[in-house]
Amino acid sequence: MSGANDALAAILERGRSNDEAEAMLVALVDGGVYVPINERHSVMFISVDDTGPVLPAYTSEACREQWLPDAAGSAFCDGPRLIDIAEKTGVQKLALFAPTQWVKFPLALISVVLRERMRGDMGGKDVMLTWSTHPVAVALRNSFADRILRHPQVRCVWIAHARWAETGVQQLLVLIAVDEDAQPLADALMRTVIAEDLSLTSDDPDLAMMALGPAQAGFAAELDRKGLDTVRADHAANRVHIISQEFG
């Protein structure tokens, strides 16, 4: 589990969340929060007033234990995972807790920050990237894991479910980090994976690929925080690291 979000806690503890709303949201997206779960590992909701249930989130596991000791534990969530919970459950508000302060605000504000973050790196277009469990996404992960060490200029691959705000189009998006001037290699690798390792049907989602160079290291770091299936090559050690929520 990730560590405490001290930057977010510091903002909340100053007690000026209205004045520092933008900084608070950025700190939440950058560092994530802890959402309580019950014995069945389901997300828990609470009431803080008479406006209905809210999704509680805490700046650390210790903070969760302080405010909600009856929970069985907590799950670390980044911004996209919070939005995913909201979409699946219909809850619209987040109650965000630090050790002595808390604030409630619409979950939609997190979506605004995420869209603004993504616009610059996705050609100015709004897109939401989230973890996918689709069989094609799993097949892509396995294929890149088998092939990545054969391509020394390929560093990392992320596989995401992409939702484009302007068009409503949804697809599987493969993002491939490569060395300088190696973008054509990413194109060739993607074509090989599709041709040799996938058996796509008309019912499967559309596929797209984006190559990332060293200049986009900041965007790559954002991808690492999104909980996406990730295939990372350690070429020096001749090892492949596969990261997935499927593995816990």
Side-chain angles (χ1 to χ4, degrees), residues 131-140 159 161 172 200 203-205 229:
W131 179 48
S132 175
T133 60
H134 193 282
V136 174
V138 176
L140 284 165
I159 300 157
H161 175 258
L172 287 177
L200 299 175
D203 294 327
D204 288 325
D229 274 6

Side-chain angles (χ1 to χ4, degrees), residues 4-15 17 24 28 32-36 44-49 52-69 74 82 93-105 110:
N5 191 337
D6 294 330
L8 178 58
I11 293 170
L12 291 170
E13 290 295 273
R14 288 196 287 268
S17 57
M24 176 187 69
L28 187 158
V33 290
Y34 293 79
V35 170
M44 297 177 64
F45 301 92
I46 64 172
S47 295
V48 294
D49 50 33
V54 299
L55 176 64
Y58 305 85
T59 57
S60 67
E61 170 62 7
C63 182
R64 192 280 307 163
E65 291 177 348
Q66 172 190 332
W67 285 94
L68 195 64
S74 65
L82 292 173
K93 298 292 181 68
L94 183 81
L96 183 59
F97 293 84
T100 67
Q101 301 287 330
W102 69 277
V103 63
K104 184 180 76 169
F105 59 87
I110 299 174

Side-chain angles (χ1 to χ4, degrees), residues 24-25 28-29 33 35 43 45 53-57 77-96 103-115 128:
M24 176 187 69
L25 290 167
L28 187 158
V29 170
V33 290
V35 170
V43 172
F45 301 92
V54 299
L55 176 64
C77 292
D78 58 10
R81 291 187 71 182
L82 292 173
I83 298 304
D84 187 54
I85 292 171
E87 292 177 348
K88 290 179 178 177
T89 64
V91 68
Q92 297 180 355
K93 298 292 181 68
L94 183 81
L96 183 59
V103 63
K104 184 180 76 169
F105 59 87
L107 277 156
L109 293 179
I110 299 174
S111 295
V112 173
V113 175
L114 291 171
R115 285 197 299 269
M128 179 73 72

Side-chain angles (χ1 to χ4, degrees), residues 155-175:
R155 300 298 174 178
C156 190
V157 178
W158 298 267
I159 300 157
H161 175 258
R163 289 172 285 183
W164 300 89
E166 294 179 3
T167 63
V169 170
Q170 301 188 45
Q171 60 188 183
L172 287 177
L173 179 62
V174 178
L175 302 107

